[in-house]
Amino acid sequence: MRAAGRLPIVLTRVELERPQFAATVEEFLTTATDCGAAVEVVDVPLAHYGFETIDHTDRTRDAVARAARSVLGHLQPADLTYPSCSTVTHSER
């Protein structure tokens, strides 16, 4: 966790999580806070573990959409630098 630095993390947290899993999620969040990690939590009310495949509700669809938007928001086009075709020489192809 300490090596992650400012690497953004998006975590979905379900309200109806199994107690043993919920405890590890809280431990993770505590450690992340202590390390200064950039964690965004998307809480999913009335959802179970595996909610994206078993809980077909507006709330769960919204949570998946919010998490996806957040992840996509962290992807900056400036971070994706590829050589253009005009800058690649014949020997590099």
Side-chain angles (χ1 to χ4, degrees), residues 21-91:
F21 291 156
T24 62
V25 169
E26 293 310 313
E27 289 174 23
F28 173 83
L29 291 173
T30 298
T31 301
T33 299
D34 292 346
C35 294
V39 179
E40 177 183 346
V41 178
V42 177
D43 285 311
V44 191
L46 302 174
H48 300 85
Y49 176 83
F51 72 93
E52 66 279 5
T53 60
I54 62 171
D55 293 326
H56 300 251
T57 67
D58 288 339
R59 286 182 180 146
T60 58
R61 283 187 286 277
D62 180 57
V64 169
R66 282 185 291 146
R69 276 192 308 272
S70 180
V71 169
L72 291 173
H74 291 294
L75 299 175
Q76 300 298 320
D79 296 338
L80 303 174
T81 55
Y82 299 100
S84 68
C85 291
S86 62
T87 62
V88 177
T89 65
H90 183 66
S91 62

